Each structure stands twice: as structure tokens, then as C-alpha cells.
Amino acid sequence: MAQRQATEPSPAAAAIRILVVRSGGFAGIPQQWHVESRDDVDDWTTLVTACPWDQVGTDPASRDRFIWRIEARMPRTTRTAQVPDALLVGPWRALVDRVQDAGSHG
Amino acid sequence: MTQGIVPPYLLTRIAELEAPEFRDAATAAKQTLILDRPRRAARLSFTLDAEQNLVAELSAAPNRTIGNAKNTETLPGAEVRAEGQAAGKDVAVDEAYDGLGATFALYSEVYGRDSIDGKGLPLDGTVHYGKLYDNAFWNGGRMVFGDGDEQVFGRFTASYTVIGHELTHGVTQYTAGLVYRDQPGALNESISDVFGSLVEQYAKKQTAATATWLIGEGLFTKKVKGVALRSMKAPGTAYDDPRLGKDPQPADFAHYVHTTDDEGGVHLNSGIPNRAFYLVAHQLGGHAWERAGRIWYDTLLSGLTPKTDFAGFAAATVAAAAKRYGGSSAEVAAARAGWSGVGVTTNGAATGD
Ligand SMILES: [Zn+2]
């Protein structure tokens, strides 16, 4: 659980919030994780901007694989993407791993 | 009667036999050798006729290969069991091998279909995929099974329904080609559940009344309050667990779930056609693979378009039943009643929700 609060109040606009929703899979049971941070904004921004949000790609042949919906609300912009499980590699995997480790699950 | 998988060297030996009493066997073996693509297996059965001649019959046989990803996400993994090799000590490998065989048997023996593509396509599977990987999937060419996380899910090879489900995605890919989104996607999912369940029912020789109609029974660990992942007989009742929530499948069209996740809820809305199939099988009674399954299989091969919706599929099942059993048959009545039972019309008109 890492819903972090800054010791000093900072403007709400300076916070970052990342939501990861895993849907699909044989079982069809969704899972989600999210993280909100005000003091690690730079670290998170680095992870988020490393991802190829505009060139996600598709996996039309697979059936029953997970689909990862990732939403990153950052101080100046909000990015969203639907990433097929087969393409959750490199920076996407790094971002999701970090949210799963640091964020709350449920 | 002896029955076995005949390796190519033995086929060659049989093909060379010249004694008249082995004439049929030699001919069958030659045919296999001539017609075969590489890697193709065949099943030869030998019987003696009234004159003590050896009669050989050639039939389709699976050609299975199981790989072990050794907890990586690299496919296909190291080959650990090929067709005809004996079982080893790895339960997941042998469950996958046996499940592929049971699926091949249903399609071949009941519907006369030679493997996924109808042309003897080798059946490939990979087990031990990923670390604590909570899933089984079809990647367009092979089935892939994770070991589960040991908290919620155990091995995904543990149920024939899962293996039959994955291979049926291949059958649908080679036949109707239903797109994997919204209603056609939910039909694609449901067809996999239908034939996945029939693989288990056929292997266990169950009737519509004695079958469980559960998908993925035994996949949950003992910590989960639930019997399976889905129930075709009673969608929405397979589990109710503090951590996982309640099984969210709708049982009729009035409760169709609109969502953007899961390709438009393909694993949720499949509950509706799943229950329609159960109702048809229940009404007809006996072995579900014989008449209800035959109607669904005929429908799959009836020239469906990739974007067929529930109402279009329902109408196609009625047409398939009429073609095979006659317009005023009990099978047509059962097909109509099954879809009516889940609120889907069978006159081909789009159904409002
Ligand atoms: Zn599926």
C-alpha cells in the first residue's frame, strides 16, 4: 500500500495518479491496481513517458489473453492505452510492475 | 482388435508386405505414406474378417507435442513430450497431452473432423508458461498454460473443459472466424465453452442430466469459495468469494453487460448463449454431443459471417437443426425453446436489449 501523502500540502494539480486494469483472460475476472503520488512525480513521469502511448499495437490472433488498460493522470496531461498481454514488455512492463508493487490492489 | 499409433518406420515395413493376407494393411500403409504431410500421424486398426484375412482400417489420429516454458514467457519452450511417448512425472505435461487427445477424439469420432483445421493440423501446447501465471490462452497456433498463482488458481491444465475450450478457439478460427469483440466475441467464447464441456462429457460418457455443465472445475484453490469459473446451466453462480466477488455472468439477454473491458465483456456475455445450449441439450436429453452438439457444430460450419450476433447465430442453429433433422423435428423445437429461454429471438431479427 503506497498511497502517499506529501508532508507539506502541495497543489492537487501536481499529483500523479496511475490506474492499471487487467481484464479478459480465460477466467474473465478483472483485477486493478492504482497509485497516487505527490512526492515521486518525477520518477513516475519518467516511467510513464518511456511508454509508447501512441504506438501500442494489437494482437488480433490471441484468445483469452489479458488486456491491460493503463491510465496515467499527470500534472499536465492524461494518457490512456489498452495494451494486449503479449505486448506488455519493456517500458509497459516496467510501469505496470511498479504500480503493482507500490500501488493498492482492488 | 489392436489399435495404436503407427510410427513412419513401421508404416514403411507394413507397406512393403507382399503376402496376400496383408494386402489391405499394405495398401492402407502406402496411402498414409503417400498422402501424409510431414509430422502427420494416423491410427491403424487391425481386425480379422470371416476368411481370416487381416483387415486394416485407417483413421485420423492426433499429433501432439507439448513444450515446457520452464516459467519463462518464451514459446514454444523445450519439447518434453511428443506423440506416442509415454507419460512422465510432470502432471501438467501429461494433463495437457491427455486433454489434447480427448479434444481430438470428440471432434474426430463424433463430428468426423480431423483436428483443428479439418486437415490433421498438429496439436501443440506449452505448459509452465510465466511465473505464477494465472491464465490459459490460445495464441493463434498453440495452447499455452500457466501454473496459476497458488492463491486463487492452481494449474490451468487441470480440467478438460479448459483444454477443449482453447483448441475450439482454433476450430472457430478455421471456420466461422468470429471476431473477438461484443456479441460475435461472446459467441466465440461460448462456442469454446460448449465444446470444452462436450470434451469432458464425451470422455466421461455423461448425459445432459449427469454432466456438471461447469467450465474450469477444480482450477480454483481450496481458499476460494466457488466450484468453477463458469456454469453453463446457471450462469452467475459458479463462485461467490470475498476477494473475487460474485460470478458476474448474465443468464439472459435482458442482463447483457455493456463494458469496454474484456473486448466488450466476451467472457461475461458468453453466459447467455452458454445457457441456451444447456437448455437445448437438457430438452433433448441423452448425450449432449449427439444432437445439441451436432446442431452447434453444423452451425459453426454453416457459413456464418465473422460479425454474426446472438440473433443471427440463434437463427442459424434453427436452420441447421431443420436441415439435419427436419423442419418439424424435436431438435428444431428444442433449438427455438433454448434461445427463447434466454430472451433471444430465432427469426433472425436483431434483438433489442
Ligand atoms: Zn476463450
Side-chain angles (χ1 to χ4, degrees):
Chain A
M1 306 288 279
Q3 294 205 34
R4 299 170 189 202
Q5 290 292 325
T7 44
E8 287 177 290
S10 41
I16 192 163
R17 181 173 191 277
I18 303 169
L19 173 69
V20 172
V21 179
R22 191 192 78 184
S23 71
F26 183 88
I29 300 172
Q31 301 276 322
Q32 68 177 53
W33 299 262
H34 81 273
V35 67
E36 274 182 57
S37 177
R38 289 172 202 281
D39 47 359
D40 288 341
V41 170
D42 288 350
D43 284 359
W44 286 108
T45 302
T46 303
L47 279 168
V48 167
T49 52
C51 294
W53 294 88
D54 298 321
Q55 306 156 33
V56 178
T58 58
D59 174 20
S62 288
R63 302 290 180 255
D64 298 320
R65 291 206 79 163
F66 297 128
I67 302 156
W68 300 81
R69 175 157 58 85
I70 305 168
E71 294 179 14
R73 217 185 299 158
M74 297 184 295
R76 290 206 189 89
T77 178
T78 296
R79 311 293 321 244
T80 64
Q82 299 257 9
V83 184
D85 198 41
L87 304 178
L88 193 87
V89 293
W92 291 119
R93 178 60 79 95
L95 176 62
V96 167
D97 281 353
R98 183 81 186 276
V99 172
Q100 288 178 327
D101 286 346
S104 59
H105 182 197
Chain B
M1 180 160 120
T2 321
Q3 213 172 43
I5 305 298
V6 183
Y9 71 87
L10 191 52
L11 282 172
T12 309
R13 288 277 299 277
I14 296 168
E16 287 166 353
L17 294 172
E18 285 173 2
E21 64 267 33
F22 292 123
R23 191 188 58 225
D24 284 349
T27 306
K30 274 179 199 149
Q31 268 183 351
T32 311
L33 289 165
I34 291 164
L35 293 175
D36 266 8
R37 289 167 296 282
R39 305 188 65 204
R40 166 88 183 265
R43 192 182 298 276
L44 266 176
S45 49
F46 298 105
T47 46
L48 290 174
D49 68 10
E51 284 85 43
Q52 299 294 299
N53 287 315
L54 187 64
V55 178
E57 276 181 282
L58 189 65
S59 56
N63 183 2
R64 294 163 283 185
T65 307
I66 308 298
N68 182 348
K70 298 178 181 168
N71 299 115
T72 70
E73 296 188 2
T74 305
L75 294 174
E79 184 176 315
V80 284
R81 191 170 175 195
E83 187 62 52
Q85 290 180 349
K89 287 179 180 164
D90 188 327
V91 179
V93 170
D94 296 324
E95 283 175 342
Y97 184 90
D98 292 345
L100 288 169
T103 306
F104 186 93
L106 174 78
Y107 279 108
S108 171
E109 293 164 17
V110 178
Y111 305 118
R113 182 179 190 81
D114 184 6
S115 190
I116 288 175
D117 62 346
K119 297 175 186 170
L121 189 78
L123 300 179
D124 296 327
T126 294
V127 298
H128 302 309
Y129 179 85
K131 287 187 182 68
L132 303 176
Y133 195 77
D134 252 352
N135 201 20
F137 63 86
W138 167 256
N139 78 347
R142 68 171 48 241
M143 309 182 314
V144 182
F145 298 94
D147 291 332
D149 56 24
E150 295 154 22
Q151 300 285 317
V152 174
F153 289 108
R155 292 186 317 275
F156 274 75
T157 46
S159 171
Y160 276 6
T161 60
V162 179
I163 298 171
H165 176 111
E166 295 309 334
L167 282 187
T168 300
H169 276 310
V171 175
T172 300
Q173 176 182 313
Y174 279 98
T175 55
L178 291 162
V179 300
Y180 204 56
R181 178 167 285 278
D182 300 329
Q183 287 188 33
L187 286 168
N188 191 323
E189 267 306 301
S190 174
I191 289 162
S192 275
D193 279 351
V194 163
F195 290 100
S197 178
L198 291 179
V199 167
E200 181 178 86
Q201 293 180 36
Y202 183 63
K204 294 183 174 176
K205 301 295 174 244
Q206 294 167 330
T207 65
T210 61
T212 64
W213 296 99
L214 296 172
I215 302 298
E217 188 179 16
L219 261 66
F220 282 136
T221 63
K222 289 192 174 70
K223 295 168 192 164
V224 174
K225 293 189 193 324
V227 290
L229 299 180
R230 293 186 275 280
S231 167
M232 299 180 67
K233 181 177 178 177
T237 67
Y239 58 88
D240 190 353
D241 179 81
R243 286 177 302 167
L244 299 179
K246 189 178 180 302
D247 174 0
Q249 280 213 312
D252 58 55
F253 199 65
H255 296 91
Y256 187 94
V257 179
H258 295 273
T259 170
T260 53
D261 286 337
D262 187 25
E263 308 283 7
V266 295
H267 291 89
L268 301 182
N269 293 314
S270 56
I272 299 162
N274 275 358
R275 181 156 162 263
F277 181 82
Y278 163 76
L279 291 172
V280 175
H282 175 72
Q283 178 156 336
L284 292 172
H287 293 138
W289 61 83
E290 286 172 5
R291 294 191 286 165
R294 171 54 80 173
I295 294 167
W296 253 243
Y297 183 73
D298 285 352
T299 302
L300 197 55
L301 270 66
S302 67
L304 298 177
T305 63
K307 292 193 174 174
T308 301
D309 64 5
F310 284 8
F313 188 86
T317 63
V318 172
K323 190 171 177 189
R324 183 169 289 273
Y325 301 104
S328 51
S329 61
E331 289 80 1
V332 166
R336 286 216 168 90
W339 288 105
S340 164
V342 298
V344 175
T345 66
T346 49
N347 60 13
T351 324
D353 60 322

